[in-house]
Amino acid sequence: TPEILESTPHYQSVKDFPDFFNVIGDYNVNLTISQVLNLEMSREHPLLKICVQPDHQFIMSGLNHFIFKNRKAHIEHLFCLDNTESMNANHLIYNLDYFSHVMPLLLYGDNYVPYCYYNHIMTKENQMSFYENVMITQDFVFTFTRDCQNGILFKNQEIIQSYQTIFNRYLKETQPLTKLIQYTDYWRYTQDILHKNYQTPCYSYATQPCITLIFDPKIFNMRKYIPEDFFNIDEFEKIFYNFANSFREQLYDNEFKLLFTPQGLEYFVKEGISDELPFGFDIVCDIEDRLNALKEWRSFMARYDCLLMIHDDAMPKESRMYFLFSPNVGFISPMTQTGNFYSISIEETSLISAFYD
């Protein structure tokens, strides 16, 4: 029979718990969650599997805290997205609200991988279920109820392995919400969106003007920023400029609007840092290239109506976030705090509609 942890714990740490342990009360459930997370994140290579909805404030705050302290943490997060356009009690679309809770983890952790499946959220929340939330580490399994009033902690390795097997089996029935891509893959992905949305209204939004428009060896000498010992520098430069030429040609034929803010423009002029230049080279444009960029952007805006400046105080000028949306496809590309670049493909109708509107 499992022992019971009631309002006053008589154990100093979950390490002292027996192999099976009942935890009662939201204080003790949250305390157990915190200790299990802390012990796993103190490892050199933490590994966490978790099944909990992203609006669970205590869990998500804890993950944000610990993943910031240990960037090597590998976290697999399984949760449900709504298969309708329902709104929660705060009048927010469920999926959009969930996405806002997940985004900070994506920015901090290169090894945070969210997986999703679809169901009707309101029906799911009203279903009777036992211990639907699960945390699996290398030493513990902790299952607990939606209201955090009850939980069971397991330390037995056979049970832990069983839960890991079940969790991995569930992952096969889901799809990753995000995908880590290399920079050249990002170019191909952008080209693919342009092809699929030919003559369809598309919008991209970043704080800085689109510098891809002026990628030309006569205007912008990319080679001077690439280290001399960089592998296959000639091939890289060729791919770099070919993408820019292809992007411009398709841009003229499509109903594509490129939005930027005056704050982002000011940041580029002062700092010389562009979000679109290849990451990993620590590129800071010199004064000559900054002035050339300003001249070309001004000339481009005078000839075409696809590069537009908008006033938006919500996005900080140093933001490394890029949005691209059409009526039927879209993605968000943030740069993480560790310098890697993510492509977050958005496919569910409610999210696409919300961002596109």
Side-chain angles (χ1 to χ4, degrees):
T1 303
E3 292 192 35
I4 298 177
L5 175 65
E6 298 183 349
S7 58
T8 304
H10 53 277
Y11 293 99
Q12 296 297 319
S13 169
V14 291
K15 291 188 295 184
D16 303 323
F17 287 8
D19 283 353
F20 306 92
F21 203 82
N22 278 336
V23 182
I24 298 176
D26 56 354
Y27 173 82
N28 292 308
V29 168
N30 288 337
L31 179 63
T32 303
I33 290 171
S34 180
Q35 289 194 11
V36 169
L37 282 176
N38 189 46
L39 286 171
E40 185 63 26
M41 292 302 171
S42 64
R43 286 174 171 267
E44 183 177 358
H45 297 286
L47 178 61
L48 173 67
K49 300 175 184 290
I50 186 167
C51 180
V52 65
Q53 289 301 96
D55 58 353
H56 193 295
Q57 186 174 355
F58 187 82
I59 286 280
M60 299 304 288
S61 297
L63 291 179
N64 273 290
H65 171 73
F66 287 113
I67 204 170
F68 180 77
K69 292 174 62 177
N70 193 336
R71 304 293 174 81
K72 295 180 181 180
H74 183 82
I75 300 176
E76 295 177 334
H77 184 186
L78 174 62
F79 58 89
C80 180
L81 289 179
D82 191 44
N83 57 10
T84 69
E85 296 187 18
S86 302
M87 293 187 178
N88 59 22
N90 296 322
H91 304 289
L92 298 172
I93 297 173
Y94 275 109
N95 293 347
L96 194 59
D97 185 43
Y98 291 158
F99 193 75
S100 68
H101 291 292
V102 167
M103 277 301 298
L105 287 168
L106 293 173
L107 294 177
Y108 283 124
D110 297 343
N111 297 315
Y112 168 76
V113 187
Y115 295 87
C116 59
Y117 64 97
Y118 294 87
N119 201 342
H120 188 246
I121 294 295
M122 295 183 68
T123 300
K124 181 178 182 297
E125 289 185 347
N126 291 324
Q127 288 177 340
M128 185 176 68
S129 59
F130 294 93
Y131 304 103
E132 64 177 40
N133 298 317
V134 181
M135 290 174 54
I136 308 170
T137 70
Q138 297 170 76
D139 297 314
F140 302 97
V141 168
F142 186 49
T143 66
F144 52 100
T145 57
R146 184 187 299 120
D147 60 5
C148 291
Q149 291 298 318
N150 298 87
I152 302 178
L153 184 75
F154 301 95
K155 292 172 60 179
N156 182 282
Q157 278 299 318
E158 290 184 2
I159 293 180
I160 294 173
Q161 291 174 9
S162 297
Y163 267 93
Q164 290 174 344
T165 300
I166 295 171
F167 188 93
N168 292 335
R169 191 185 306 154
Y170 282 162
L171 288 188
K172 295 179 181 179
E173 306 298 323
T174 67
Q175 63 184 43
L177 188 66
T178 64
K179 182 177 70 171
L180 179 64
I181 61 171
Q182 301 298 322
Y183 198 78
T184 51
D185 292 328
Y186 155 69
W187 298 338
R188 297 188 189 100
Y189 190 81
T190 304
Q191 286 179 307
D192 185 52
I193 287 182
L194 290 172
H195 282 300
K196 289 181 178 178
N197 293 273
Y198 180 71
Q199 293 186 341
T200 301
C202 293
Y203 297 91
S204 77
Y205 174 50
T207 55
Q208 298 177 8
C210 179
I211 203 169
T212 304
L213 296 172
I214 58 175
F215 280 156
D216 187 298
K218 298 177 182 177
I219 302 171
F220 194 94
N221 184 6
M222 186 69 214
R223 183 175 286 264
K224 66 184 177 182
Y225 297 111
I226 302 178
E228 294 182 359
D229 59 348
F230 181 75
F231 177 75
N232 207 350
I233 186 172
D234 294 328
E235 181 65 20
F236 178 83
E237 189 178 42
K238 180 180 178 181
I239 294 175
F240 197 70
Y241 288 121
N242 282 346
F243 167 73
N245 292 333
S246 174
F247 181 80
R248 284 192 294 268
E249 290 174 2
Q250 295 179 71
L251 187 67
Y252 302 146
D253 295 332
N254 288 356
E255 297 182 44
F256 203 151
K257 304 298 183 184
L258 306 169
L259 311 178
F260 69 96
T261 67
Q263 301 99 306
L265 179 62
E266 178 186 4
Y267 182 75
F268 172 77
V269 172
K270 287 184 176 181
E271 304 295 335
I273 299 174
S274 171
D275 294 342
E276 295 180 55
L277 296 175
F279 303 122
F281 294 145
D282 296 324
I283 293 177
V284 178
C285 298
D286 58 27
I287 295 298
E288 179 184 2
D289 281 334
R290 296 182 213 182
L291 292 175
N292 285 337
L294 288 174
K295 293 176 183 177
E296 291 301 316
W297 281 327
R298 181 177 180 182
S299 174
F300 193 91
M301 294 178 71
R303 288 178 289 144
Y304 305 100
D305 64 350
C306 55
L307 183 62
L308 305 172
M309 183 169 68
I310 63 172
H311 291 275
D312 180 11
D313 296 329
M315 189 100 86
K317 61 184 179 182
E318 66 276 8
S319 171
R320 312 300 295 273
M321 188 80 72
Y322 175 69
F323 299 82
L324 193 154
F325 280 91
S326 74
N328 51 30
V329 71
F331 74 97
I332 299 175
S333 295
M335 190 178 78
T336 70
Q337 300 295 324
T338 55
N340 286 324
F341 193 66
Y342 278 91
S343 170
I344 303 172
S345 178
I346 310 296
E347 296 185 0
E348 55 272 8
T349 304
S350 60
L351 282 181
I352 291 178
S353 298
F355 279 105
Y356 188 76
D357 289 344

